[in-house]
């Protein structure tokens, strides 16, 4: 029996009720979508109420590229360059991609986006991190000192 999944499309419905038609093999790179398609079939759009249209477009772009890269056996270097460029986005988009990758259960995208944030944090002081990500310091000076004392072992190198 021939596998017709390549020519079958999955409809994905974003938070804004926008519907995107995507090749089944591409859409099923998401374990969440794959499970929903297996459970409910292809007749109705797969509702993704936690994913914005703008972010879903980016996720689909990522899945399409990696599906094609796998099919064409592209070198890891090419994929790495593409991935680095893909995550060159504003913070809001990056954090929404992390949430979407987690919700959609796309491990490679979750790893890529989290690594991007980790690389941004690496080697920075807590104050530099707060400034970089616009995080308000809600510790009192006493609480901050206590945290520093409790975690002094982190600073020992």
């Amino acid at each position: 029996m021939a596998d017709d999944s390549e020519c079958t499309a999955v409809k994905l419905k974003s938070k804004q009720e926008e519907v995107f038609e995507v090749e089944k093999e591409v859409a099923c790179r998401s374990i969440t979508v794959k499970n929903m398609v297996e459970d409910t079939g292809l007749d109705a759009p797969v509702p993704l109420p936690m994913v914005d249209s703008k972010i879903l477009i980016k996720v689909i772009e990522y899945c399409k590229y990696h599906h094609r890269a796998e099919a064409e056996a592209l070198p890891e270097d090419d994929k790495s360059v593409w991935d680095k460029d893909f995550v060159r986005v504003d913070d809001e988009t990056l954090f929404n991609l992390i949430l979407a990758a987690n919700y959609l259960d796309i491990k490679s995208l979750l790893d890529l986006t989290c690594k991007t944030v980790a690389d941004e944090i690496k080697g920075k002081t807590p104050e530099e991190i707060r400034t970089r990500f616009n995080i308000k310091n809600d510790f009192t000076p006493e609480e901050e000192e206590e945290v520093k004392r409790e975690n002094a072992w982190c600073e020992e190198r």
Side-chain angles (χ1 to χ4, degrees), residues 132-148:
R132 167 64 186 84
F133 292 106
N134 199 22
I135 301 169
K136 182 180 167 281
N137 182 1
D138 55 358
F139 284 122
T140 65
E142 295 78 27
E143 290 172 327
E144 200 161 343
E145 268 313 304
E146 184 181 339
V147 169
K148 282 180 183 174

Side-chain angles (χ1 to χ4, degrees), residues 3-56:
D3 180 16
D4 65 342
S5 61
E6 275 192 67
C7 55
T8 308
V10 175
K11 291 183 179 94
L12 305 176
K13 190 194 292 186
S14 72
K15 180 186 208 170
Q16 290 79 10
E17 305 274 317
E18 232 180 304
V19 177
F20 300 88
E21 202 162 300
V22 183
E23 193 179 307
K24 183 180 177 189
E25 282 189 6
V26 171
C28 288
R29 292 184 83 82
S30 159
I31 303 302
T32 303
V33 170
K34 182 176 178 276
N35 291 341
M36 289 173 111
V37 166
E38 285 172 0
D39 292 346
T40 62
L42 296 169
D43 298 334
V46 175
L48 302 171
M50 305 298 288
V51 186
D52 246 30
S53 293
K54 175 186 160 204
I55 298 303
L56 187 54

Side-chain angles (χ1 to χ4, degrees), residues 97-108:
L97 280 169
I98 290 171
L99 295 173
N102 187 46
Y103 173 72
L104 294 169
D105 199 354
I106 305 172
K107 187 181 180 330
S108 60

